[in-house]
Amino acid sequence: MALLHKFKISGGQVTYKSRFLGSDCYQANNEHSRIVVSEFGTVAMPDPCKNFFQRFLSRFEMPSESRPEPSDNDNVSFVTYKGDYYVSTETNFMHRIDPETLEAKEKVDWSKFIAVNGATAHPHNDPDGTTYNMGNSYTAKGATYNIIRVPPTKNSPEDTLEGATVLCSIPSVDKTKPSYYHSFAMSENYVVFIEQPIKMDLLKIVTGKMRGKGISDGVYWDPKRDTFFHLINKQTGKLSSVHYLTKALSTFHQINAFEQDGMLVMDMCASDDGQAINNYMVQNLRQSGEALDEVYNTMSRVFPRRFVLPLNVDHNTPIGKNLNTRPDSTATAIRISKEKVFCSYEELHDEELHKYGGLEFPQINYAKYNTHPYRYFYGCGFRHLVGDTLIKMDLKDKSMKVWEQPGLYPSEPIFVPSPDSTEEDDGVILSVVITPNKDKSTFLLVLDAKSFKELARADVPVNIPYGFHGTFNNTA
């Protein structure tokens, strides 16, 4: 269940507050003292108090429109729309949150505003507050991927997603098996949708309840398919006629994207294996000793990569020639046919990163450097099933700085710029660190972003579970 956390730093003191999200999902599960709403990896089992025949029939009970009701358990990320804070997951439901009390003010349904069946928990913001996101639509004609645009301001205090529009719709190549995506990339003028070969079998997902299977049973990896980068112009909503592709890869989080010298440079955390989601099945997390080592040793590794996409491709562009003219990049972009450009990546790290199991949960100085050329990014190293180090990467020479302590597991690093900062890494890194082998010893860690040295920690005398994504709200 979604558990919201808040650290407040004021006057040299740190206070902590947490609250379970009062979702319909939470209320129903709490009322029955068991899981009654299906989630991504968990199927709601029939009521054990029913007799055998009743339990059998309950598997075939379906909500309206013959599809499972999506969960409103918004446990992935805090996001902002029109200056308001929401918590979200990947269904069509979000909750608007009071950032002071962490109380849910209202449940908001994307499908009441635009024709989508959900949206990602990783929107992007333009400097003026305009927000972009992605969501799927499922109709009798098949699945489509939709680029969503939400205006920056509200017309009234009660305004939520009013004015949201679908900027562009992209049909799935396989109408009944669209690609799964967790996020997308955005430069100054383009949204980049990464269509990867992690596929969703819609028939399996819709029939999951009667088969006693969770949504994850309908998600699979198809390594024989290529990965496509779809470029959508943010001003016109037009999809580029050039098909940029690369070999099969999986990506959950992008680092940054920017345009320079006629190229779109796109950095992401990626793997050549799309099985990462299986690492977190309960049967794996319950392992210990050699069995846990085997799970870890067979995990797919995620590393930072750079792709360079040429923007000015026309009928005069030569075929078979590397179009990446950036002297500082080893990535390639080769036009292989009239409308296709095949791309290979440049590694954004050296061999040292392999010692830390790769890098995920990337963060940058978003406010000043998102969609612009940048030098630094931060993330978690994964030598275990969860992050066990904090890492600062320097793109200038691909060097890195590391914070680590045995037995401590930090969360996603949040960059907070210093007031009136002039340098990209002038600020601090915030991370929640858990200590599973010691009771009630969680703390908020503060690192100097430049040196990556510890500045302070604020101990929290409660147990906090390992989480996903957060944000910093500067109210000073």
Side-chain angles (χ1 to χ4, degrees), residues 177-230:
K177 296 177 181 179
S179 292
Y180 170 78
Y181 54 91
H182 183 72
S183 59
F184 61 99
M186 187 180 83
S187 67
E188 184 178 2
N189 295 295
Y190 295 92
V191 166
V192 186
F193 165 48
I194 303 163
E195 189 173 13
Q196 59 189 349
I198 300 178
K199 309 295 286 183
M200 298 187 296
D201 188 321
L202 298 183
L203 180 61
K204 279 190 173 183
I205 291 173
V206 169
T207 60
K209 182 177 180 181
M210 68 177 68
R211 296 183 298 108
K213 300 290 185 179
I215 294 173
S216 59
D217 181 65
V219 180
Y220 67 97
W221 167 246
D222 187 351
K224 295 180 181 179
R225 291 179 178 263
D226 290 326
T227 300
F228 289 89
F229 304 134
H230 301 283

Side-chain angles (χ1 to χ4, degrees), residues 273 276 278-280 283-285 287-303 353-359 381-389 409:
D273 184 351
N278 296 327
N279 298 333
Y280 300 97
Q283 57 266 36
N284 287 338
L285 299 179
Q287 301 294 338
S288 61
E290 292 183 0
L292 183 59
D293 289 340
E294 183 179 352
V295 172
Y296 171 73
N297 291 331
T298 56
M299 282 175 56
S300 59
R301 304 297 180 193
V302 177
F303 289 94
L353 185 57
H354 287 268
K355 296 191 301 184
Y356 297 94
L359 183 146
F382 277 75
R383 291 179 301 189
H384 296 84
L385 283 171
V386 296
D388 60 354
T389 56
Y409 298 86

Side-chain angles (χ1 to χ4, degrees), residues 89 131 133 156 184 213 216 372 459:
T89 179
T131 307
N133 207 336
S156 69
F184 61 99
K213 300 290 185 179
S216 59
H372 298 291
D459 294 316

Side-chain angles (χ1 to χ4, degrees), residues 34-247:
R34 65 185 184 88
I35 295 176
V36 296
V37 180
S38 295
E39 299 282 352
F40 180 80
T42 306
V43 63
M45 298 307 292
D47 188 343
C49 296
K50 293 181 178 180
N51 63 37
F52 176 82
F53 186 65
Q54 289 173 316
R55 293 201 304 271
F56 176 77
L57 288 180
S58 70
R59 289 190 180 276
F60 297 88
E61 296 171 359
M62 300 292 280
S64 61
E65 301 182 23
S66 298
R67 60 178 175 83
E69 180 69 18
S71 169
D72 68 337
N73 180 33
D74 296 319
N75 61 358
V76 177
S77 184
F78 279 87
V79 296
T80 57
Y81 293 96
K82 302 182 182 181
D84 287 336
Y85 281 83
Y86 294 80
V87 285
S88 65
T89 179
E90 296 184 329
T91 69
N92 53 301
F93 294 119
M94 298 191 300
H95 285 84
R96 183 153 63 167
I97 298 297
D98 183 329
E100 283 297 319
T101 65
L102 297 183
E103 290 182 295
K105 295 199 281 190
E106 62 186 301
K107 179 178 174 179
V108 180
D109 183 350
W110 276 102
S111 65
K112 301 298 183 183
F113 300 90
I114 51 176
V116 295
N117 296 92
T120 82
H122 289 289
H124 276 294
N125 300 301
D126 270 344
D128 69 350
T130 301
T131 307
Y132 295 83
N133 207 336
M134 286 195 60
N136 280 2
S137 292
Y138 306 118
T139 67
K141 295 181 179 180
T144 57
Y145 313 106
N146 300 295
I147 311 301
I148 304 166
R149 181 162 57 196
V150 180
T153 56
K154 296 189 290 185
N155 293 321
S156 69
E158 295 76 28
D159 192 340
T160 57
L161 299 176
E162 280 80 2
T165 57
V166 172
L167 179 66
C168 178
S169 292
I170 306 168
S172 172
V173 174
D174 192 331
K175 295 181 179 180
T176 62
K177 296 177 181 179
S179 292
Y180 170 78
Y181 54 91
H182 183 72
S183 59
F184 61 99
M186 187 180 83
S187 67
E188 184 178 2
N189 295 295
Y190 295 92
V191 166
V192 186
F193 165 48
I194 303 163
E195 189 173 13
Q196 59 189 349
I198 300 178
K199 309 295 286 183
M200 298 187 296
D201 188 321
L202 298 183
L203 180 61
K204 279 190 173 183
I205 291 173
V206 169
T207 60
K209 182 177 180 181
M210 68 177 68
R211 296 183 298 108
K213 300 290 185 179
I215 294 173
S216 59
D217 181 65
V219 180
Y220 67 97
W221 167 246
D222 187 351
K224 295 180 181 179
R225 291 179 178 263
D226 290 326
T227 300
F228 289 89
F229 304 134
H230 301 283
L231 272 62
I232 300 92
N233 187 296
K234 290 161 61 177
Q235 280 70 47
T236 66
K238 185 178 180 181
L239 175 67
S240 172
S241 61
V242 179
H243 302 293
Y244 302 92
L245 66 152
T246 188
K247 65 179 184 178

